[in-house]
Amino acid sequence: VGKRHQVHDKWDEDGGIFGYSLGEVGFVAFSRGYNNATGQGSREDFDLTGKQTRLKEGHYCNLAAERGLVPPPERWAHMCTGGDPIKVDKEGRIMANGTLPSGGVVALHI
């Protein structure tokens, strides 16, 4: 990280939710989820709609949720096995199906 692709568009939310873009090739978001022992964190899923990425417009599989072999990028609009494809608009914003589960990860990559 940092040599070929800079970290951009870092953000964080209350409850242990944060994310960033990795150049124009990736985007990740993390949720620590709820901790029963401490009572901290969130039990709620987080809507990523409107979060800025540096990805090109298109559909992306959440690679952290894929089961088995990841389909080739040209099939991401209709072949993701880990849920509906996440749509990114021409400005690089997440526009559809961008749900970060409590205690989960969203990982997008070209």
Side-chain angles (χ1 to χ4, degrees), residues 47-65:
D47 184 5
L48 294 170
T49 300
K51 288 294 181 192
Q52 186 67 49
T53 78
R54 300 226 173 174
L55 299 172
K56 294 179 184 174
E57 180 178 21
H59 292 87
Y60 296 85
C61 293
N62 176 8
L63 301 179

Side-chain angles (χ1 to χ4, degrees), residues 12-23:
D12 64 272
E13 304 282 338
D14 290 338
I17 299 169
F18 66 97
Y20 58 88
S21 291
L22 184 57

Side-chain angles (χ1 to χ4, degrees), residues 13 22-23 43 46 48 52 62 66 68 76 85 87 92-94 101 103 107 110:
E13 304 282 338
L22 184 57
R43 290 184 173 108
F46 183 79
L48 294 170
Q52 186 67 49
N62 176 8
E66 284 299 294
W76 286 353
K87 182 178 180 186
R93 289 185 308 261
I94 294 177
I110 59 168

Side-chain angles (χ1 to χ4, degrees), residues 17-88:
I17 299 169
F18 66 97
Y20 58 88
S21 291
L22 184 57
E24 295 177 353
V25 300
F27 170 85
V28 292
F30 303 90
S31 167
R32 78 169 183 197
Y34 183 76
N35 183 316
N36 286 324
T38 65
Q40 295 180 339
S42 175
R43 290 184 173 108
E44 303 296 319
D45 292 346
F46 183 79
D47 184 5
L48 294 170
T49 300
K51 288 294 181 192
Q52 186 67 49
T53 78
R54 300 226 173 174
L55 299 172
K56 294 179 184 174
E57 180 178 21
H59 292 87
Y60 296 85
C61 293
N62 176 8
L63 301 179
E66 284 299 294
R67 299 180 295 271
L69 297 175
V70 176
E74 62 271 11
R75 296 186 176 205
W76 286 353
H78 59 279
M79 279 192 69
C80 297
T81 63
D84 293 329
I86 296 172
K87 182 178 180 186
V88 174

